[in-house]
Amino acid sequence: MMPVDATETFRQEAQELLEQLEHTLLEIGHRPGDADLIDTAFRALHTIKGSGAMFGFDRVAAFTHHVETTFDLVRKGKIAATAELIALTLAAKDQMRQLIEAPDAASDAEGQAILARLQAAVGSASGAAA
């Protein structure tokens, strides 16, 4: 019997979580106020971050932490799940996938650009919510 590779297990679980996240984000696009969908997206991000850290995917964990923090604000009603926020989170999901599947090819500059745009969107969304 072959030993189970924990890294491969993480990759498979993360793949499923990223697919769930993508589906959930697209649903939030149609129902931005749906608390269950927002919770589902947050939990997927939270799990990817935590498992990533546990299995040594530190870049994934660090990057996902920022996206998770944004969704925590949405969850708490501090910012709205705008179309822009959904689009940026989908871009972030693609970056997470890259960091998991091909970390050597993943661009930190690209990740930083996504996070900067996400931060700007949070700023304008929190201004709109206030």
Side-chain angles (χ1 to χ4, degrees):
M1 202 165 115
M2 300 278 300
V4 176
D5 180 356
T7 302
E8 193 49 43
T9 301
F10 166 70
R11 283 195 169 105
Q12 287 173 354
E13 287 180 3
Q15 194 66 24
E16 291 167 18
L17 286 164
L18 289 168
E19 285 171 20
Q20 177 192 35
L21 178 63
E22 180 175 0
H23 174 75
T24 303
L25 289 168
L26 295 172
E27 284 295 310
I28 292 170
H30 299 295
R31 302 197 311 261
D34 189 316
D36 288 339
L37 288 173
I38 291 164
D39 279 345
T40 300
F42 175 82
R43 276 195 309 276
L45 291 163
H46 183 75
T47 304
I48 291 166
K49 180 194 78 172
S51 298
M54 196 164 68
F55 290 106
F57 286 78
D58 297 334
R59 287 169 67 202
V60 174
F63 179 82
T64 306
H65 170 74
H66 296 288
V67 186
E68 177 197 30
T69 300
T70 301
F71 256 80
D72 197 33
L73 293 172
V74 174
R75 220 168 53 137
K76 291 175 176 165
K78 291 187 169 30
I79 61 171
T82 62
E84 181 187 18
L85 197 65
I86 299 300
L88 287 169
T89 306
L90 286 166
K93 173 207 51 93
D94 292 339
Q95 177 73 4
M96 288 175 229
R97 175 169 280 135
Q98 182 80 5
L99 285 167
I100 292 165
E101 291 177 2
D104 295 340
S107 161
D108 285 331
E110 178 82 17
Q112 291 307 316
I114 292 167
L115 293 179
R117 292 199 309 268
L118 198 58
Q119 195 58 48
V122 166
S124 60
S126 62

